[in-house]
Amino acid sequence: VVEIVVRSGADSGYMGQTILTGAGSGVILTQSGYIITNNHVVEDADSINVRLRSGEEYSAKLIGTDEKSDIAVIKIEAENLTAAVVGDSSLLQVGELAVAIGNPLGELGGTVTDGIISALDREITIDGENMTLLQTNAAINPGNSGGALVNAYGQVIGINSSKIVANEYEGIGFAIAINEAKPIVDSLVANGFVAGRVKVGIT
């Protein structure tokens, strides 16, 4: 699991540009540097930087994003990275161990929190998009977005999404099931977009 820092220039009128900085997490998928994260972590970013657990830092290239599933893929130029082991989220059961790994607050990279799988298929509407997500009571905070939700065997079974966790609630976190995310990732890597979706084509 890696730390991600993004920067974007926001137009502040006659005073020029203001540089906005955000942070999130990502999961290394391949030894050659493909990394999965959330779309909302890298959306509108002018630059994306990745810090590995070893402390090494890389500039990342955006490979593709999908707003509908809130999945994005970035890539760093590195070799022989330790890739995450992907599990099978269809085998999950309510009550089993769930461990969230990420970069809460953008400053605490490598933070691990534990809990259980609270529900398997919560239907949630986010920014007009209907999503079916895993629910967990493992602590997920801003900056955890795009990080890994793993099972007792260390296999990634979900991608954490913290943007729908409101401050007034406790113990209600959500993650995109890895079985839902993997086909999106494969299409983004192959095409730069999600192929096969019907689109009206009118704006």
Side-chain angles (χ1 to χ4, degrees):
V1 178
V2 301
E3 303 168 38
I4 297 175
V5 176
V6 300
R7 291 180 175 82
S8 60
D11 191 353
S12 58
Y14 69 92
M15 293 296 289
Q17 280 197 330
T18 301
I19 303 301
L20 304 178
T21 303
S25 306
V27 180
I28 299 173
L29 290 178
T30 68
Q31 290 184 322
S32 60
Y34 283 99
I35 296 169
I36 183 174
T37 185
N38 285 143
N39 172 67
H40 74 263
V41 170
V42 297
E43 195 172 27
D44 300 325
D46 292 326
S47 69
I48 306 169
N49 291 304
V50 169
R51 183 186 298 119
L52 305 184
R53 188 77 180 115
S54 64
E56 293 178 272
E57 296 191 20
Y58 295 86
S59 177
K61 176 184 177 182
L62 182 63
I63 300 299
T65 64
D66 181 48
E67 186 175 1
K68 183 176 179 65
S69 63
D70 196 24
I71 291 293
V73 176
I74 60 177
K75 188 178 188 304
I76 59 176
E77 293 303 321
E79 296 179 353
N80 300 317
L81 297 174
T82 302
V85 177
V86 175
D88 184 351
S89 54
S90 71
L91 300 178
L92 290 174
Q93 295 184 5
V94 171
E96 74 172 272
L97 176 69
V99 175
I101 307 173
N103 182 28
L105 309 180
E107 300 174 351
L108 304 172
T111 294
V112 178
T113 57
D114 72 327
I116 61 171
I117 298 293
S118 304
L120 298 175
D121 50 5
R122 290 293 191 210
E123 294 187 1
I124 308 291
T125 301
I126 310 166
D127 296 336
E129 298 288 353
N130 296 320
M131 303 179 71
T132 301
L133 302 171
L134 299 174
Q135 183 181 331
T136 179
N137 68 340
I140 296 176
N141 297 287
N144 272 111
S145 294
L149 188 70
V150 305
N151 60 17
Y153 307 101
Q155 300 167 335
V156 179
I157 44 85
I159 301 301
N160 298 322
S161 178
S162 66
K163 71 175 183 178
I164 54 176
V165 181
N167 291 332
E168 61 266 27
Y169 295 100
E170 291 185 13
I172 303 177
F174 296 95
I176 303 159
I178 199 64
N179 287 20
E180 301 292 326
K182 195 65 171 65
I184 303 294
V185 169
D186 291 343
S187 191
L188 290 175
V189 171
N191 309 298
F193 60 92
V194 179
R197 284 204 185 127
V198 176
K199 193 172 184 179
V200 177
I202 299 173
T203 58

